[in-house]
Structures are given as structure tokens and as C-alpha cells.
Amino acid sequence: MLIKHETKGIIYFMKLKKIIIALMTALTFYGTMNVAASTEIAEAKTTKVYKSHLSKANQKAKNWIAYHESRGSYHARNGRYIGRYQLSASYLHGNYSKANQEKTADHYVHARYGSWVNAKHHWKAYGWY
């Protein structure tokens, strides 16, 4: 009789464990989706659009550098270098938005190289810009 009750208790416990795991998985998934959705909504509300007025050659060079620096990811990190153009965190002043990365990269390249085409030539020669 004791063995029969222990077996029922173990079975009950195992079913309860499966239910708890299923609930925790569902809540984790829902929480992740909810955070992602709220982040997207917040970004959509605060996103500023930055439009660079580059020639086709400069835009092509800019895209080439972005690919070679970060594979085009705005979220890439390498030590103190952040984002699509691997800019120093100090240049971005804590604002890692896409618009700020684009604007800051354009200002940096214009001040240092004069154009993205020149920056690409430098990158090809030295492996950085």
C-alpha cells in the first residue's frame, strides 16, 4: 500500500514539474517578446531620421566600410568601438542610435578624410579608417 501511494506521489510530482516548466518557458518567451515589442515601440517613438546627402560613390564607399567594420550591424562591439562604423564610444556620447551613428560617422569622415571615398582608400591601405 505504501509503495502504491509513493508511486502516485512521484507521478503527481512529475506532472506538476512538467506543468511548471511549461509555464516558466511560456512566461520567459512572452516576457522576451514583450520586452522586444516595447523596445521597438520606444525606438519608433524616439527615432530621429538622419539623411546624408552623399554622392553614389561616397555612399558606396560608406557601405563598404560599414560592411568591413561590422558586417553592417549597428549593435557590433569591439572594446571601446561601437556600432556599424566602429566609432569610439567617446564620439557617440552615449547615444548609440542609428541616426547618431550615421551622423557621427559622416562628421568624422568629413573632418578626417574629406570623403568616404578617401576613407575607403585609407582603410584599404591600413586596415582601418
Side-chain angles (χ1 to χ4, degrees), residues 9-128:
I10 291 172
I11 292 171
Y12 176 76
F13 176 76
M14 296 301 288
K15 286 181 180 179
L16 184 62
K17 184 178 174 184
K18 284 182 182 180
I19 291 170
I20 291 171
I21 290 172
L23 284 172
M24 289 176 65
T25 303
L27 288 173
T28 302
F29 179 72
Y30 175 75
T32 304
M33 283 181 47
N34 206 12
V35 168
S38 63
T39 302
E40 288 174 16
I41 291 167
E43 285 179 1
K45 288 181 180 178
T46 60
T47 299
K48 293 181 181 178
V49 176
Y50 172 76
K51 176 105 170 116
S52 62
H53 301 283
L54 299 173
S55 67
K56 286 183 181 181
N58 276 304
Q59 188 61 53
K60 189 174 177 181
K62 184 178 183 181
N63 291 340
W64 186 93
I65 288 175
Y67 178 80
H68 285 82
E69 288 291 323
S70 67
R71 296 298 185 248
S73 172
Y74 288 101
H75 305 290
R77 289 189 177 242
N78 182 14
R80 66 184 180 125
Y81 300 104
I82 296 170
R84 183 176 172 98
Y85 304 100
Q86 291 295 283
L87 299 166
S88 173
S90 64
Y91 284 115
L92 295 169
H93 303 290
N95 180 353
Y96 305 140
S97 69
K98 292 177 184 181
N100 193 50
Q101 287 184 44
E102 294 291 335
K103 181 175 77 172
T104 304
D106 282 346
H107 287 285
Y108 168 77
V109 165
H110 179 72
R112 184 170 178 118
Y113 302 103
S115 72
W116 282 97
V117 171
N118 293 342
K120 180 181 174 182
H121 290 306
H122 185 276
W123 199 103
K124 283 183 158 185
Y126 300 100
W128 59 274

